[in-house]
Amino acid sequence: MSNKHVGILRKSVLQLGRTFRPPLYRPEVDADFDFLGSEYGGWPVLRGSLTPESLVYSFGIGDDISFDLEVIDRFGCTVRAFDPTPRCLEWLRAANTPAAFDFHPVGLSNKTQVLRFSAPPSHNHVSYTVGVRDLETDVVSLPVKALDELVTEAGDHGKTIDLLKMDIESAEYYV
């Protein structure tokens, strides 16, 4: 089988997996939660789990911070947001974010290093991945750090993270 055919087959299998996999916001446990943010960028939050003093870390924001902004609006807490990808950084330059949105241009991994990220297949998409895409995809090297190092740098050492959101396109396996 040629490389072209393998690539087509791989894309077909991945698309089938996305089609039949349940959405992430449908938990298998019975718990009261609210879905915050847009359909694309939203995440579930357990009812009663956040207060103005809560510590929220949000990894992988892309160009949709609707979840982060709703957490800030609803609970009055600070959201520490992390994303090193070029399209995110470009988008954020034009965004008007509140002071409680504490952005850091670095990604999350199991250790401090520089990882190679593959660009999205279309300029209409924003999600870079450490996973392998086809050979025509641009690749960029971006900084990532371990959670404990990011927590220390943010001045949160010894505190409990009340909510940790990861939408980091295959990098969660490193973490």
Side-chain angles (χ1 to χ4, degrees):
M1 193 179 300
S2 72
N3 283 345
K4 179 179 179 182
H5 290 103
V6 169
I8 291 170
L9 181 61
R10 181 176 178 272
K11 285 181 184 178
S12 298
V13 169
L14 288 172
Q15 184 60 42
L16 274 173
R18 286 187 205 106
T19 301
F20 293 107
R21 182 176 53 227
L24 293 175
Y25 57 87
R26 288 193 190 150
E28 294 179 15
V29 295
D30 187 22
D32 290 331
F33 68 92
D34 293 312
F35 187 79
L36 306 182
S38 70
E39 184 176 327
Y40 173 77
W43 288 84
V45 174
L46 290 173
R47 288 191 185 133
S49 65
L50 297 178
T51 69
E53 292 77 35
S54 292
L55 185 55
V56 177
Y57 274 61
S58 179
F59 293 97
I61 61 166
D63 63 357
D64 186 340
I65 59 173
S66 60
F67 168 78
D68 310 273
L69 295 178
E70 193 165 345
V71 166
I72 292 166
D73 287 344
R74 188 177 288 200
F75 303 103
C77 57
T78 295
V79 172
R80 300 210 195 287
F82 301 81
D83 194 320
T85 60
R87 293 183 191 174
C88 170
L89 299 177
E90 181 181 338
W91 182 82
L92 272 179
R93 277 195 273 291
N96 184 17
T97 59
F101 182 78
D102 181 26
F103 178 72
H104 304 264
V106 63
L108 178 65
S109 189
N110 62 327
K111 62 183 178 181
T112 297
Q113 58 188 321
V114 173
L115 289 178
R116 294 171 50 84
F117 285 73
S118 296
S122 165
H123 289 289
N124 296 329
H125 297 106
V126 70
S127 298
Y128 283 69
T129 181
V130 294
V132 178
R133 288 199 167 120
D134 61 42
L135 298 176
E136 292 96 37
T137 304
D138 290 335
V139 175
V140 294
S141 296
L142 300 170
V144 294
K145 294 184 179 182
L147 181 60
D148 61 344
E149 187 172 347
L150 293 170
V151 167
T152 298
E153 287 177 1
D156 296 325
H157 182 72
K159 297 179 183 175
T160 298
I161 296 175
D162 298 290
L163 187 147
L164 185 141
K165 182 215 87 174
M166 289 192 303
D167 186 7
I168 55 177
E169 309 301 326
S170 300
E172 65 273 11
Y173 299 110
Y174 291 102
V175 176

